[in-house]
Amino acid sequence: MSRPVRSLTAAAAAARDALPAPDAAAFERLASSVLAAPGAALGPVLRAQLPGVAGIRWLRTAGLAPTARAGSLTAEQWSSLFRCWQATAAAPTAGGTAARRGGGRTSAHGHAPGALAAPRWH
């Protein structure tokens, strides 16, 4: 059973309508994730959508506080957020070599590859 699609705000819909068809579907995925918790602050919401500090960096460049709400975004801000999201989604991630090796843990002893635990003297 599919979940109903959350309706977009007028500003988000305007930003989506300005995009080509292939990007519109990706925009709707982002917007529905951001709008899933309408009362939530954007800082934590964007932390879940953008890697590292990209969400906080985007908020700063957009002139928004981390406590701003998704409903207050303008169409220009939605477009800017989507461009940021697209740029970071295409960025390489850490652990790329582990994926080529077959995934899973990168080290059997719980440390980064090549790292050794501190010796324990009993």
Side-chain angles (χ1 to χ4, degrees), residues 95 97-99 101-113:
T97 56
R101 284 192 302 230
R105 292 173 40 175
T106 58
S107 174
H109 54 81
H111 297 283

Side-chain angles (χ1 to χ4, degrees), residues 23-89:
D23 288 342
F27 179 89
E28 285 188 12
R29 284 194 307 274
L30 170 66
S32 65
S33 296
V34 171
L35 292 169
L42 275 174
V45 170
L46 294 180
R47 192 174 308 125
Q49 297 302 318
L50 299 169
V53 295
I56 297 299
R57 191 174 300 136
W58 178 82
L59 285 169
R60 189 175 309 132
T61 60
L64 296 168
T67 56
R69 306 288 186 239
S72 66
L73 294 178
T74 65
E76 293 79 21
Q77 289 168 329
W78 274 109
S79 296
S80 171
L81 176 60
F82 180 67
R83 286 190 303 273
C84 177
W85 181 73
Q86 279 187 315
T88 58

